[in-house]
Amino acid sequence: MKELTKGNPTKLLLLFSLPILLGNILQQFYNLGDTIIVGRTLGISELAAVGSTTAIVSLLFSMINGFCIGFSILTANAFGAKDENRIKETIAKSIVLMFLITITMTVLGLIFIRPLLTVLHTPADIMEDSIAYIRVIFLGLIVTAAYNLISNMLRALGDSVFPLIALAISSTLNLGLDLFCIKGLGLGIRGASIATVIAQLISVIVCLVYVIRKIPYMHIRPEHFKWNGKTVTDLLTSGAGMALMYSIVDIGSIILQSGINSLGTEIIAAHTAARKIFSFSILPISTLAASLVTFTSQNTGAGKPERVRAGIKSATILGFVWSLVAFFLLYFGGAALVRMITDSDTFVIGTAVKYLRINVPFYAFLCILCFFRSTLQGLGQKIIPVIASIIELSGKAIIVFVLVPRMGYLAVCICEPILWILSGLLAVSYTHLTLPTIR
């Protein structure tokens, strides 16, 4: 277990973030491995089918991760205050709440997936493949939730290393499972999602063994499951606030995906490839943001607001350095990276590169948005992060319904940089005006 309430903030954030970053990279390899194998062994239609569900899958995972992060904020706060009983109580009740939430999401998803894909203008020629792929994702949500809950609780207690180890074990198997399920068993596109679920299940099993053997803080007993209205209310408030914030962003992405789907199969394939590279390139930013939530929560619980201020400054400097590195990688090497994913025609590759070159110069604004929003979350502030997310949702809706019909894919490319600037300014303004202790 690692306390983030003592020591140099920059060093602590780097050491705590590095295992999370490596874990996130491995998770992206899950997705990238699926994409490369689907794109190169099955074809452009199957690649587009995976891409047409990307926003929905992202929404599902963001909701689950949002609840888990929200729950873990209370655990980190209790850990910072050195209250062992409250740590175990928050973990026990988080398990029950996450189980109920995930089962509900699974049932609703299986019932409404076809109408939702229809509303999103999924082309008829890829509809059945899209449904086959995402149905398995829904059935495996309970596994996804279990891994995210265990990992976030370990990180709340300062352990960011073991979730990486568990993920490394399962990711080593994932590529082999992809090939075996897709080609060996002839499961086609469905095999890609089956392989991902199996890999996550392995992560869960490894983490559970570790927790049982090594983490006494997570050895909960029946009395920790007893009803406590205040704890449950606090967990639901924190978890729902985080899930809502994450969901609003991804609902906006689903709306944006509907606009992309209306532009045809080649545009969908190009955007899918570009977004995979984009997701990799922002991992250091999103990882630092996730680390700031734990850093802020522990130091708030320990009554050390001055360290919160130091933490956000350190994260911002590190984020700006990465933004500069990413600019050179994507602006000048984007075409080579796209060709690693798909060997499609020049139009698909050129369209994907266009997206990357328009977005990467604005990564510094994404850093500002993510870091200030994460600090507010760690401090227990929920309203402004949600409002910032609503701005993103509204902006994406306007662009889809107003600009995409007129400007085509260019409107998609300029969408997020504009919204990063607007939402980031709101988060920074609120932080400096109402939270002078972290200025």
Side-chain angles (χ1 to χ4, degrees), residues 63 66-74 90 93-94 97 101 227-246 376-383 385-386:
M63 287 183 67
F67 273 110
C68 292
I69 291 175
F71 295 160
S72 71
I73 287 174
L74 274 73
T90 59
K93 291 172 175 60
S94 295
L97 292 173
I101 290 165
W227 177 262
N228 181 319
K230 184 180 186 307
T231 301
V232 171
T233 300
D234 288 345
L235 284 168
L236 282 175
T237 301
S238 180
M242 291 291 287
L244 176 61
M245 186 199 71
Y246 281 29
L376 292 172
Q377 291 159 1
L379 290 167
Q381 301 290 327
K382 304 175 183 68
I383 301 301
V386 170

Side-chain angles (χ1 to χ4, degrees), residues 117-419:
L117 287 172
T118 301
V119 169
L120 293 178
H121 305 115
T122 302
D125 60 323
I126 62 173
M127 175 65 80
E128 296 308 316
D129 279 341
S130 299
I131 292 174
Y133 178 82
I134 199 171
R135 184 177 286 136
V136 177
I137 298 295
F138 272 112
L139 290 171
L141 277 184
I142 192 69
V143 177
T144 302
Y147 172 73
N148 276 276
L149 186 60
I150 296 171
S151 296
N152 278 292
M153 290 304 173
L154 286 171
R155 289 168 187 147
L157 300 176
D159 186 349
S160 60
V161 174
F162 195 80
L164 167 64
I165 295 173
L167 198 55
I169 294 171
S170 61
S171 65
T172 302
L173 300 174
N174 188 64
L175 292 179
L177 286 169
D178 271 332
L179 290 171
F180 178 68
C181 291
I182 292 174
K183 298 188 73 175
L185 297 180
L187 296 176
I189 195 171
R190 188 183 292 109
S193 48
I194 290 174
T196 299
V197 172
I198 292 174
Q200 289 179 332
L201 178 60
I202 293 171
S203 293
V204 171
I205 293 171
V206 172
C207 283
L208 283 175
V209 172
Y210 174 70
V211 166
I212 291 170
R213 291 184 176 181
K214 300 290 186 179
I215 312 297
Y217 278 117
M218 296 178 69
H219 292 178
I220 51 181
R221 298 184 297 273
E223 60 265 28
H224 296 125
F225 288 94
K226 290 181 179 178
W227 177 262
N228 181 319
K230 184 180 186 307
T231 301
V232 171
T233 300
D234 288 345
L235 284 168
L236 282 175
T237 301
S238 180
M242 291 291 287
L244 176 61
M245 186 199 71
Y246 281 29
S247 299
I248 288 173
V249 172
D250 280 297
I251 289 170
S253 296
I254 288 177
I255 293 173
L256 192 60
Q257 185 70 50
S258 71
I260 295 166
N261 288 352
S262 69
L263 297 174
T265 299
E266 285 190 316
I267 293 292
I268 297 173
H271 188 73
T272 300
R275 287 295 293 188
K276 293 298 181 183
I277 296 168
F278 168 83
S279 297
F280 263 105
S281 69
I282 66 167
L283 281 179
I285 298 172
S286 60
T287 299
L288 280 169
S291 300
L292 265 179
V293 174
T294 301
F295 183 90
T296 303
S297 300
Q298 283 197 17
N299 282 284
T300 299
K304 296 182 177 181
E306 73 283 354
R307 288 183 58 79
V308 176
R309 179 175 64 249
I312 193 172
K313 289 181 179 178
S314 297
T316 301
I317 293 171
L318 292 171
F320 283 2
V321 171
W322 173 252
S323 297
L324 185 61
V325 173
F327 175 83
F328 285 101
L329 287 175
L330 298 192
Y331 199 88
F332 298 105
L337 293 172
V338 173
R339 289 191 183 94
M340 291 174 62
I341 296 176
T342 177
D343 56 358
S344 299
D345 58 37
T346 304
F347 175 79
V348 171
I349 294 173
T351 302
V353 171
K354 176 181 179 180
Y355 176 89
L356 295 173
R357 287 184 171 177
I358 290 176
N359 276 260
V360 71
F362 296 91
Y363 277 17
F365 293 97
L366 178 60
C367 288
I368 292 171
L369 169 61
C370 290
F371 298 157
F372 277 84
R373 187 165 60 186
S374 292
T375 300
L376 292 172
Q377 291 159 1
L379 290 167
Q381 301 290 327
K382 304 175 183 68
I383 301 301
I384 294 300
V386 170
I387 291 176
S389 301
I390 290 174
I391 291 175
E392 290 190 56
L393 170 63
S394 303
K396 288 177 180 177
I398 291 171
I399 285 171
V400 165
F401 296 119
V402 178
L403 295 185
V404 168
R406 294 171 172 79
M407 299 173 60
Y409 190 61
L410 177 61
V412 176
C413 295
I414 66 174
C415 173
E416 286 175 314
I418 293 172
L419 299 176

